[in-house]
Amino acid sequence: MIDTSTVESSNITKGEYLLRLHRIYLLLARSLNPVTRNDCIGVAIEASSTDNNPLESIENTLEPGDRLYNRASYWSSLGSRDPDVPETLTYGLVSNLCAISEIHIQPFLAYFQDGFPIYSAKAVRFKMGHQKLYVNSSTSVSNGLAVDYSSASDHFIWTYVSPEFPMAQENTLQIFKLPEPAFCVGGVLQVELLGRVQRQEMDGLYYLCVSHVEVVGRPLLPEYDVDIIDQSGKCILKYFPELPEPSSTNGEIGRGRSRASRLVQRGVHGWEHIVLNTLLGGRGMFDDDDDIDEEIAE
């Protein structure tokens, strides 16, 4: 989203330009939670199919393990005669902007069936993106309320698609690490389950079953939020100064958030505008730029 032609159209050197970009990303990073979390899923949106709803619904995948209150806890797809039919599980994250590094998935072992079959997929793939329709921040997941997500999968725009990862036929929490952390802007993540391995003995159909899904990453801090404003994915990074900052033993984290807040409380439209209009020409905004430069030098 950053146009490198800006260097050619300005009077700064490439080195100065890169240094300013470094400051930009330093400040933006300060709006993210400093701690990597494994509970970045906020809500289960939908499954592409469910065999026995609500007993085998996608909601069960939010619970760790494969048993809850002395009963099996898992999601199950509908059966299929074709082992290549895929399924999807779609989730809303705890924040509308989140840097995702890993996804963990535990296939379900049917301990109540003969032979203890495991209904895993052959492979998995992950998509991240946002709704096509505008979501008002007052109903966003990151503000602790339910999002009115459409039940139709084609109402999402995917801005990131991962490579395919092979899945083992094991009843363990399998770790799928992305090639590099990916920004999910819009707060929607979809797990694609590609191919079926296990046929159910009683009806001869292939099923996919998942016990638990975890998303590992760094969401926005509570006082920040992102609104998608059009179909292209342009957004507003918002700051809510009335929210109290969480207590921290590291005063530097709080000081960094204060600097970042002076950028985002303007509600600038579009990441390229945040970068180019607010920051590259806005050196006078900061009364402690020397501190930032010292941190960059480190």
Side-chain angles (χ1 to χ4, degrees):
M1 297 293 287
I2 301 172
D3 187 357
T4 55
S5 64
T6 305
V7 177
E8 301 170 1
S9 61
S10 64
N11 295 322
I12 64 173
T13 66
K14 184 176 181 180
E16 291 172 331
Y17 177 74
L18 293 175
L19 188 63
R20 292 188 184 186
L21 292 186
H22 189 90
R23 181 191 293 110
I24 290 165
Y25 290 115
L26 174 66
L27 293 171
L28 180 58
R30 293 268 173 79
S31 68
L32 292 172
N33 196 307
V35 178
T36 300
R37 299 168 44 178
N38 66 353
D39 60 347
C40 291
I41 293 179
V43 63
I45 299 175
E46 66 172 357
S48 52
S49 76
T50 302
D51 186 39
N52 186 9
N53 202 20
L55 293 179
E56 298 174 330
S57 79
I58 186 178
E59 296 286 342
N60 294 332
T61 65
L62 302 181
E63 300 293 337
D66 56 8
R67 301 194 191 193
L68 182 65
Y69 304 124
N70 295 320
R71 67 171 180 83
S73 174
Y74 63 97
W75 160 82
S76 174
S77 70
L78 288 172
S80 172
R81 298 189 183 279
D82 183 356
D84 294 325
V85 173
E87 297 281 353
T88 60
L89 301 173
T90 307
Y91 300 92
L93 303 180
V94 294
S95 171
N96 286 332
L97 188 151
C98 193
I100 303 300
S101 55
E102 298 177 5
I103 295 93
H104 302 168
I105 304 175
Q106 181 177 349
F108 179 65
L109 181 151
Y111 54 85
F112 44 78
Q113 294 182 358
D114 292 340
F116 307 107
I118 300 174
Y119 292 92
S120 71
K122 294 179 181 177
V124 293
R125 182 169 57 193
F126 309 104
K127 294 180 178 180
M128 303 180 198
H130 58 86
Q131 284 187 287
K132 289 183 181 178
L133 302 179
Y134 173 81
V135 179
N136 186 282
S137 63
S138 65
T139 60
S140 69
V141 173
S142 53
N143 287 336
L145 301 175
V147 174
D148 183 21
Y149 289 107
S150 167
S151 61
S153 296
D154 60 359
H155 281 200
F156 299 108
I157 294 176
W158 307 116
T159 55
Y160 172 85
V161 179
S162 78
E164 291 186 18
F165 300 89
M167 175 171 273
Q169 187 80 347
E170 298 175 358
N171 177 232
T172 59
L173 193 62
Q174 300 180 33
I175 298 174
F176 303 98
K177 186 173 183 179
L178 301 179
E180 58 184 18
F183 262 118
C184 179
V185 181
V188 181
L189 180 140
Q190 185 175 89
V191 176
E192 284 189 294
L193 301 165
L194 306 173
R196 306 175 184 223
V197 177
Q198 185 62 49
R199 191 197 302 259
Q200 183 172 253
E201 184 177 349
M202 67 178 64
D203 60 10
L205 301 179
Y206 290 93
Y207 289 82
L208 289 167
C209 300
V210 172
S211 297
H212 185 48
V213 176
E214 291 179 350
V215 174
V216 178
R218 295 175 57 195
L220 286 175
L221 290 162
E223 58 265 37
Y224 296 89
D225 197 8
V226 167
D227 280 351
I228 304 297
I229 61 174
D230 65 21
Q231 306 288 33
S232 71
K234 283 193 175 183
C235 54
I236 304 172
L237 182 61
K238 304 175 75 173
Y239 172 63
F240 300 91
E242 69 274 9
L243 294 179
E245 292 189 0
S247 59
S248 173
T249 57
N250 187 345
E252 198 61 30
I253 293 175
R255 190 157 64 95
R257 287 205 303 270
S258 177
R259 295 188 192 124
S261 70
R262 278 174 277 166
L263 305 179
V264 298
Q265 60 188 330
R266 293 187 170 193
V268 182
H269 291 239
W271 291 113
E272 71 276 31
H273 292 181
I274 293 176
V275 171
L276 298 177
N277 296 350
T278 306
L279 292 168
L280 293 183
R283 194 171 171 81
M285 289 174 57
F286 305 101
D287 50 23
D288 51 3
D289 262 3
D290 291 340
D291 290 343
I292 297 176
D293 291 335
E294 289 175 4
E295 294 176 19
I296 292 174
E298 293 175 0

